[in-house]
Amino acid sequence: MADESGEFVDDFDPKANAAAMDAAGLSVAKGLLKAEMAKRRLTYEGLANLMWDHGIEENERNLRNKVSRGGFSAAWFFAVMMMMEVKMLDMSHSYETVSDYLNRPAT
């Protein structure tokens, strides 16, 4: 990337970029989970009951906290998607391209 004078400026920060992508990924995963729950008119209580039916002990409060803070793994996310019988995820409205995300102005 060049500055105003045309000089090359190396502003690549791998740690900051990785942290930004992690945050973006969590945001997308939370949004997809909430969208799939909404499509099925499934509350957190209903999701907890569904998980109990599959032998996973979760309660409504823990689920709310887990989803709110994004404290779940990809394995947990996909297990929940399978429990809800999600066949396809539409991510077309969920995220920007990686380059758009990394190149947007800082807030």
Side-chain angles (χ1 to χ4, degrees), residues 29 51 56 66 71-83:
M51 293 178 82
I56 298 171
K66 186 176 285 196
F72 52 85
S73 67
W76 185 89
F77 172 81
F78 285 111
V80 171
M81 291 293 125
M82 291 181 342
M83 285 178 228

Side-chain angles (χ1 to χ4, degrees), residues 21-31 69-72:
M21 292 308 300
D22 282 351
L26 283 174
S27 177
V28 169
K30 289 181 348 183
R69 70 175 188 275
F72 52 85

Side-chain angles (χ1 to χ4, degrees), residues 87-107:
K87 303 297 184 214
M88 186 178 297
L89 289 172
D90 178 10
M91 295 179 57
S92 62
H93 304 292
S94 300
Y95 64 95
E96 305 167 78
T97 66
V98 171
S99 59
D100 288 344
Y101 186 82
L102 293 176
N103 292 320
R104 71 181 178 181
T107 55

Side-chain angles (χ1 to χ4, degrees), residues 12-79:
F12 181 74
D13 183 349
K15 287 184 179 178
N17 289 349
M21 292 308 300
D22 282 351
L26 283 174
S27 177
V28 169
K30 289 181 348 183
L32 288 169
L33 178 57
K34 290 177 182 180
E36 292 300 327
M37 287 174 64
K39 285 180 190 176
R40 290 158 179 75
R41 297 176 188 239
L42 195 58
T43 63
Y44 286 104
E45 180 181 8
L47 181 58
N49 291 336
L50 181 63
M51 293 178 82
W52 273 86
D53 292 345
H54 285 86
I56 298 171
E57 297 180 10
E58 284 281 4
N59 63 49
E60 177 184 0
R61 182 177 177 193
N62 288 348
L63 283 174
R64 280 185 189 281
N65 289 337
K66 186 176 285 196
V67 173
S68 166
R69 70 175 188 275
F72 52 85
S73 67
W76 185 89
F77 172 81
F78 285 111

